[in-house]
Amino acid sequence: MKLWSDSFRDGGLISVDNAFAAIDPLTHVRLSDNRSPHLAWDEVPNGTQSLALFCIDGDAPQEAGDVNRADRRLALETRRGEFFHWSLLDLPPKPCALAEGRFSSQVTARGKADATVALILPDDGTYTLRQGLNDYTAWFAADAAMAGDYYGYDGPCPPWNDDRIHHYIFRLYALDVARLELGVRFSGRQALAALYGHILDETQLVGAYSLNPELAFTLKK
């Protein structure tokens, strides 16, 4: 399979338009446009019954105590793990394109409530897609103003005191089943675990993003 985006190039910088937050010189960060990126693919293998799409930050710090603190820095050797920004299931098994902003536009406080979304393909009808909970659900759980269920896409918001550039993996899987067995409310991790044993092919794009002004300047050079 081939996967590409008109919103960012593979290995390049993710646009601030596609991010949850942007750099602010006075307050460190501000909310950004949070638009889901354009994504398109083709060369889907024979036998594919559905496609599954994920966006995962593999550089997320695993301890929150030092995150976004002016008196601390998150060093390169800080323990890292995965932060799920998107899981989208039941995509049709054919070449397709998702327009920028189709699945998210602006930050929705308390999260988007759309566990299912409709994808209309010209001359091919309507597909009902399922979206998992992203990891902002847990991140904002103790924040009275932001707590809620965050379904679908919410973009990059790495710690502004992080010395590491974060890399966001957009990965597409071709599956040999039309529908994964998951409950109505599922996480990205649960969706990823459910597809193993059903993968026919996979492909990915990687984009970089940082809210550390020093690193962001380096990325733009």
Side-chain angles (χ1 to χ4, degrees):
M1 290 191 296
K2 290 184 178 180
L3 175 66
W4 68 94
S5 175
D6 292 343
S7 300
F8 67 96
R9 63 176 178 83
D10 187 24
L13 177 65
I14 291 177
S15 170
V16 68
D17 295 340
N18 306 125
F20 192 92
I23 294 172
D24 187 286
L26 297 179
T27 61
H28 295 293
V29 298
R30 59 173 174 79
L31 296 180
S32 192
D33 292 339
N34 199 40
R35 292 170 59 82
S36 55
H38 166 273
L39 293 166
W41 56 85
D42 61 15
E43 299 184 14
V44 176
N46 293 333
T48 300
Q49 297 297 308
S50 69
L51 300 169
L53 177 67
F54 295 83
C55 175
I56 303 170
D57 173 8
D59 296 308
Q62 294 302 283
E63 297 175 5
D66 291 339
V67 168
N68 295 336
R69 290 183 52 175
D71 61 336
R72 303 285 178 88
R73 294 186 73 112
L74 296 175
L76 293 175
E77 61 270 19
T78 298
R79 188 168 66 92
R80 309 285 172 158
E82 294 179 330
F83 189 104
F84 282 73
H85 287 264
W86 198 11
S87 55
L88 182 63
L89 307 182
D90 307 333
L91 286 158
K94 58 186 63 183
C96 188
L98 308 179
E100 181 171 299
R102 171 64 182 81
F103 293 88
S104 178
S105 184
Q106 299 186 340
V107 172
T108 302
R110 300 186 180 278
K112 293 182 287 294
D114 297 329
T116 61
V117 292
L119 177 66
I120 301 173
L121 297 182
D123 304 321
D124 196 39
T126 301
Y127 291 82
T128 299
L129 313 182
R130 290 179 292 166
Q131 299 193 105
L133 293 165
N134 66 53
D135 283 347
Y136 286 109
T137 302
W139 178 256
F140 286 125
D143 186 330
M146 295 293 285
D149 286 344
Y150 284 73
Y151 284 98
Y153 178 85
D154 283 300
C157 185
W160 50 259
N161 63 336
D162 201 338
D163 287 337
R164 178 179 291 194
I165 295 170
H166 285 227
H167 295 86
Y168 298 82
I169 303 168
F170 291 81
R171 184 174 292 139
L172 183 70
Y173 293 94
L175 307 178
D176 65 2
V177 291
R179 184 179 176 87
L180 294 171
E181 294 299 324
L182 290 162
V184 174
R185 191 177 190 276
F186 60 87
S187 69
R189 286 174 181 79
Q190 290 171 325
L192 191 64
L195 60 81
Y196 284 105
H198 298 291
I199 301 170
L200 299 176
D201 197 5
E202 63 184 85
T203 185
Q204 68 179 35
L205 291 172
V206 180
Y209 197 74
S210 177
L211 291 173
N212 181 330
E214 298 173 13
L215 298 182
F217 176 78
T218 300
L219 281 169
K220 292 178 181 179
K221 290 180 66 177

